[in-house]
Amino acid sequence: MKISLVCICSDPDYEEDNLIVFCDGCNIPVHQKCYGIPKIPRGNWFCNRCQSTQKDIECIFCPNTDGAVKPVLGGGWAHILCALWIPEISIQDSLYMEPIINKVNRDRLNLTCVLCGIPKGACIQCKERNCFVSFHVTCARTLR
């Protein structure tokens, strides 16, 4: 399954201090502040996925393979989008937006996404009191 994001926040607008940067490897567009690029580099810029020598980088919180990822403390990779929406996940350095700190509740790992049907990763749930619908953050994003 693939996701297509304008950028992490899906906002196509930008400010002078928060430009949209395109990876010179995979062409993914991200805002500076969303991805943790405090200063626009001269020349080429490559996202963490393209800089890595690791093949087949996957988010540990969802089955979606595309999107802006960062390293997880202790190993693995995660979408910044997943890290921002799953309650038990945090980001250690908000300037560079990494590493992602995984403290996901075990119960969350047993949920199956109603959108993709895949019981992988960590789903979030509806906020309504008696609603138990669960879904991956990136699966919900694809519905926008």
Side-chain angles (χ1 to χ4, degrees), residues 20 25 27-28 30 43 45 52 57 65 73 85 89 93 107 119 122 130 132 142:
I20 295 175
N27 209 35
I28 191 168
V30 294
W45 174 78
S52 176
I57 291 174
T65 56
L73 193 63
W85 281 92
I89 299 173
D93 185 333
D107 293 338
N130 292 317
F132 301 102
T142 61

Side-chain angles (χ1 to χ4, degrees), residues 22-83:
F22 289 81
C23 174
D24 286 301
C26 66
N27 209 35
I28 191 168
V30 294
H31 282 108
Q32 284 179 262
K33 291 180 182 178
C34 291
Y35 198 74
I37 310 167
K39 183 178 178 185
I40 301 280
R42 291 181 185 222
N44 292 337
W45 174 78
F46 295 93
C47 68
N48 287 56
R49 181 191 304 268
C50 290
Q51 287 180 39
S52 176
T53 57
Q54 183 180 339
K55 301 282 187 209
D56 301 324
I57 291 174
E58 295 181 4
C59 177
I60 63 173
F61 302 118
C62 76
N64 295 296
T65 56
D66 287 349
V69 295
K70 288 284 191 161
V72 175
L73 193 63
W77 295 85
H79 292 112
I80 294 176
L81 186 64
C82 291

Side-chain angles (χ1 to χ4, degrees), residues 1 56-66 69 76-79 82 86 104 106-114 116-124 134-139:
M1 182 182 287
D56 301 324
I57 291 174
E58 295 181 4
C59 177
I60 63 173
F61 302 118
C62 76
N64 295 296
T65 56
D66 287 349
V69 295
W77 295 85
H79 292 112
C82 291
I86 299 172
V104 172
R106 286 185 149 292
D107 293 338
R108 191 177 297 286
L109 300 175
N110 294 323
L111 300 172
T112 298
C113 178
V114 299
C116 72
I118 300 173
K120 175 189 186 271
C123 291
I124 60 174
S134 59
F135 47 88
H136 296 113
V137 173
T138 54
C139 290

